[in-house]
Amino acid sequence: MEVLEITLEEYGNITDNRTNVFCQSNFLRHNLYKADTVRCFLGHDKKNRLALAVGESEWEWNAPFSAPFSTIAELQTYIKIDYYYEFIKKINEIAKANAIQRISVMLPPDIYGMAQNAKTENALLGNGYQLEYQELNYSFNLHEVEPNNYEKMIHRNARKNLNIAIKKGLSLKKCTSEDDKRLAYQVIKANRSNKGYYLAMSEEEVLSTSHIVKNDFFLVELNGNAIASAVVFHAANNIVQVIYWGDLPSVGEFKPINFLAFELIKYYKAKGISHIDIGPSSLKGEPNMGLCGFKESIGCEVTSKHRFKIELKK
């Protein structure tokens, strides 16, 4: 197999209907300013086999450079493991030839492709990469969760909190105007500020990204006032990802996140979505114990997101 460097446009023509939204060319192009350049590689013999895009910054390649995760795009229905080994080996060789000293790869959780992840991880390790850390990633498996059995699946305390929220008369509103979308972001910003958490994307970055990625914004309202919200991107076929969610600091007694989780399950189950990716509850491998416990209590499954790296000799 030969590995060639191709343009971002060529990469998009080959991969955009075969990979998750974070690896598609319009998303990469939208975030070009976050890397010195984007470099795209195609592995092929008689057919196109695999492709990868990386962000280059000085002496380092990162996949992703501005997204929750990245992946090697499979360009045929079946890709043998030896193609992965050869592709990664040649990526390393190209990197060395370009004086790159380090490559980092963050893979998606298994809900985006268990077999693809298994082959990629094995080939990375076999080509000298090391596991840098493991994130704990949470999601709702809508194959298993039904609205009418949800209360039976969650922990006792979560069931109690959901019933409190329902009795308080909370309601879910899908945002249709930009003003409502901005309000959704401001609720999340207030939540993060109160907890001392970092918001990776500004309001304008979220809104501009929403112009190129299919999305849903939601408000949880009490007596017509927004008290919680969620920003959701359609990340892959039948998978949505909660980019942000949160409630206002003063409304904990109404248990709006318990309510929001249940409403999102109902909404996306009706849309035929298979998984709601809630995202990680760890930072560089260190778990947020309280957040992990909360997500497990409301019925989330936990899987791994693995970050690999290789230090290349000069």
Side-chain angles (χ1 to χ4, degrees):
M1 182 174 62
E2 184 180 16
V3 175
L4 301 174
E5 185 163 4
I6 58 177
T7 67
L8 183 54
E9 182 178 4
E10 290 170 331
Y11 169 88
N13 291 337
I14 294 167
T15 66
D16 278 356
N17 64 343
R18 305 189 70 95
T19 191
N20 63 75
V21 69
F22 303 118
C23 295
Q24 293 177 4
S25 59
N26 59 346
F27 187 90
L28 298 171
R29 190 174 292 110
H30 183 72
N31 290 284
L32 276 173
Y33 68 99
K34 297 180 181 178
D36 293 341
T37 189
V38 173
R39 304 185 70 166
C40 304
F41 303 97
L42 171 66
H44 77 106
D45 43 22
K46 293 180 181 180
K47 297 180 180 179
N48 294 333
R49 300 293 180 180
L50 297 166
L52 175 68
V54 300
E56 180 174 310
S57 296
E58 297 180 354
W59 49 267
E60 186 171 10
W61 285 354
N62 288 293
F65 60 93
S66 179
F69 51 77
S70 185
T71 190
I72 298 174
E74 292 186 334
L75 306 179
Q76 300 295 324
T77 303
Y78 171 64
I79 301 293
K80 297 187 294 183
I81 182 65
D82 51 320
Y83 282 122
Y84 275 94
Y85 266 77
E86 188 67 15
F87 183 72
I88 294 169
K89 176 184 177 183
K90 292 189 174 179
I91 290 290
N92 289 352
E93 292 172 354
I94 294 169
K96 288 181 181 179
N98 284 268
I100 297 301
Q101 298 176 29
R102 175 188 170 104
I103 305 174
S104 295
V105 180
M106 171 68 87
L107 296 180
D110 278 347
I111 60 172
Y112 292 89
M114 184 182 296
Q116 188 175 1
N117 268 357
K119 291 178 182 181
T120 304
E121 291 179 8
N122 187 269
L124 287 169
L125 292 169
N127 277 284
Y129 286 72
Q130 296 180 326
L131 177 63
E132 188 172 6
Y133 55 82
Q134 173 225 19
E135 300 286 35
L136 296 169
N137 200 84
Y138 288 84
S139 60
F140 291 113
N141 181 350
L142 299 188
H143 294 302
E144 303 293 334
V145 179
E146 296 282 352
N148 59 5
N149 73 1
Y150 177 67
E151 289 194 40
K152 296 178 182 178
M153 297 180 64
I154 60 179
H155 295 188
R156 180 177 178 275
N157 191 56
R159 186 161 54 248
K160 175 184 174 182
N161 289 340
L162 177 59
N163 288 328
I164 290 172
I166 293 171
K167 289 177 182 178
K168 294 291 185 180
L170 304 188
S171 62
L172 185 73
K173 174 183 176 180
K174 186 176 179 183
C175 302
T176 56
S177 70
E178 183 166 305
D179 284 346
D180 277 348
K181 291 180 179 181
R182 289 184 181 276
L183 176 58
Y185 182 88
Q186 287 302 316
V187 170
I188 292 161
K189 184 178 180 179
N191 174 275
R192 297 299 192 276
S193 177
N194 179 67
K195 294 180 178 180
Y197 293 164
Y198 169 67
L199 263 177
M201 297 176 71
S202 70
E203 181 175 328
E204 295 306 322
E205 286 174 324
V206 169
L207 290 172
S208 65
T209 303
S210 74
H211 296 154
I212 62 166
V213 175
K214 185 178 179 182
N215 63 87
D216 303 303
F217 287 64
F218 298 96
L219 294 171
V220 175
E221 294 185 332
L222 176 64
N223 299 324
N225 297 313
I227 64 170
S229 64
V231 177
V232 183
F233 287 172
H234 290 246
N237 289 336
N238 299 320
I239 301 175
V240 297
Q241 184 177 75
V242 177
I243 302 300
Y244 293 127
W245 69 357
D247 55 3
L248 293 176
S250 60
V251 299
E253 65 182 287
F254 301 106
K255 312 303 179 185
I257 300 301
N258 295 81
F259 176 82
L260 179 56
F262 183 46
E263 291 297 314
L264 291 180
I265 287 169
K266 290 194 294 182
Y267 181 87
Y268 287 114
K269 182 78 175 183
K271 297 289 185 182
I273 296 298
S274 66
H275 290 84
I276 304 174
D277 182 359
I278 305 297
S281 295
S282 55
L283 181 61
K284 294 186 176 180
E286 183 177 348
N288 181 322
M289 302 299 185
L291 193 55
C292 291
F294 172 74
K295 289 182 179 180
E296 291 171 17
S297 78
I298 62 174
C300 288
E301 295 181 350
V302 60
T303 54
S304 295
K305 277 174 62 177
H306 292 136
R307 182 177 175 92
F308 295 88
K309 68 174 181 179
I310 187 170
E311 304 287 346
L312 300 170
K313 295 180 180 179
K314 296 181 181 180

